[in-house]
Amino acid sequence: MKIKDRVMAWVDWALKKYEWLLSQLLRFRFNKVNRDRYLRRLVKRYYPDDDGTLLAVAMRESPMAVLDEKEVRKEYRRLMWRCGIMVFVVSFALTLVPEDLWITILSVCLDLAIFQCVLYIAMQKVMMLYGQECDLNNDRGESMEKIIAIESSGLMVGKYPILQKMKSVGGWLGKQAVKRLGPRLVTKMSQSVFIVLRRQAIKWGSVVLTKEHLDLAMASLVPITCGVISGLVSVVIFIPMCNKLRKHLLQGCVAPVA
């Protein structure tokens, strides 16, 4: 067997094990969305005076039978805002960990796990919103198989599934780039910028800025910039995945079941 074939076989094996580990997250209780509670809150948000009639229709058919198209889009955008902010904050915070090998490995793994948990929750709510049967509590694993099949089919990640697997590495690579390029940029730009800032600081508050202040600001800027990069990587991957799922459901496709 050629070296290339061996490497590809190993990568396929590793990805399958990785997907199996992620699928185990679905078994945790905090990842399971209560369908009745979600639909009840959804209907009450738009029809607070409902006596239960519209709620019964939403539970029997789908929220799309009760809400109009504009309200469904609004609810989807609300969900994306909440989940997007959540994955951004988590990735941002976990990028600010101390530069220790084992702590970095742990933070990357934790970032991937939390990202996946938020994705599973978002998938369930999107499927419920657009009329797909999805109840991890009551259907004896059918919804779990459906969610795993949708994600593993490549529907949500397209041609490059490895991108989603390596999401958290984006923050680490950004951190290394900022650390290496930052000092060079500061060397070229800091002199003129520092003179202007020092002049304005003296003018506004009689504050004298020194070279030590500039070094301290740069030391703080590097981890913050890296955190922002990591958070944006999470959002840029998360939102399109959910958009592809939404488009798939709007087309009336039946989710593949393994």
Side-chain angles (χ1 to χ4, degrees):
M1 183 181 293
K2 296 181 180 179
I3 296 178
K4 180 180 178 181
D5 295 334
R6 290 182 180 179
V7 171
M8 293 304 299
W10 184 88
V11 170
D12 291 339
W13 177 86
L15 287 177
K16 288 180 181 178
K17 292 297 182 182
Y18 177 83
E19 290 176 354
W20 179 84
L21 288 173
L22 291 183
S23 68
Q24 301 307 303
L25 293 174
L26 270 175
R27 303 182 185 278
F28 288 97
R29 184 177 182 86
F30 58 80
N31 276 333
K32 299 179 179 179
V33 178
N34 188 300
R35 181 175 182 271
D36 293 346
R37 186 184 305 166
Y38 174 68
L39 295 183
R40 185 177 295 107
R41 185 169 62 249
L42 188 63
V43 173
K44 285 294 183 182
R45 180 177 296 134
Y46 296 97
Y47 300 97
D49 299 328
D50 177 49
D51 59 357
T53 304
L54 296 178
L55 177 60
V57 174
M59 290 185 174
R60 185 176 63 253
E61 300 180 24
S62 78
M64 297 183 71
V66 175
L67 308 180
D68 59 33
E69 184 179 353
K70 183 178 179 181
E71 291 169 338
V72 172
R73 287 200 307 268
K74 181 179 179 180
E75 184 61 28
Y76 176 78
R77 287 195 297 266
R78 184 196 300 269
L79 175 62
M80 290 300 100
W81 269 103
R82 290 181 176 178
C83 293
I85 291 174
M86 187 177 300
V87 296
F88 178 89
V89 170
V90 169
S91 293
F92 178 86
L94 290 175
T95 306
L96 303 181
V97 298
E99 293 190 11
D100 179 82
L101 176 61
W102 293 109
I103 295 179
T104 301
I105 293 175
L106 180 61
S107 66
V108 169
C109 294
L110 188 59
D111 188 12
L112 284 169
I114 296 177
F115 178 90
Q116 194 68 31
C117 289
V118 177
L119 179 63
Y120 281 148
I121 292 172
M123 287 178 68
Q124 294 173 70
K125 291 186 176 181
V126 172
M127 292 171 72
M128 293 176 187
L129 180 64
Y130 288 96
Q132 280 280 331
E133 288 294 330
C134 184
D135 191 345
L136 296 180
N137 295 302
N138 300 318
D139 62 3
R140 299 182 181 179
E142 292 179 6
S143 290
M144 187 177 299
E145 293 177 359
K146 186 182 296 184
I147 290 174
I148 294 173
I150 288 175
E151 190 178 17
S152 62
S153 67
L155 167 69
M156 298 172 65
V157 294
K159 298 180 180 179
Y160 307 102
I162 193 68
L163 179 64
Q164 191 262 330
K165 316 301 183 191
M166 300 297 292
K167 181 202 70 65
S168 289
V169 181
W172 183 83
L173 292 176
K175 187 172 185 177
Q176 302 308 311
V178 172
K179 286 179 64 177
R180 291 179 180 276
L181 297 178
R184 299 179 184 178
L185 294 176
V186 170
T187 301
K188 295 180 179 180
M189 301 173 57
S190 62
Q191 187 173 1
S192 58
V193 174
F194 184 64
I195 292 175
V196 174
L197 290 176
R198 182 168 58 181
R199 184 186 305 155
Q200 292 298 325
I202 295 174
K203 179 179 179 181
W204 291 337
S206 299
V207 178
V208 179
L209 295 179
T210 64
K211 185 65 167 59
E212 288 72 19
H213 291 127
L214 180 62
D215 294 338
L216 180 62
M218 186 62 196
S220 303
L221 181 62
V222 168
I224 292 176
T225 303
C226 297
V228 172
I229 292 173
S230 181
L232 290 177
V233 169
S234 297
V235 174
V236 167
I237 293 177
F238 182 88
I239 300 297
M241 289 176 71
C242 293
N243 287 341
K244 289 178 181 179
L245 176 60
R246 173 178 177 268
K247 182 179 179 180
H248 172 76
L249 297 175
L250 282 174
Q251 291 175 346
C253 298
V254 179
V257 178

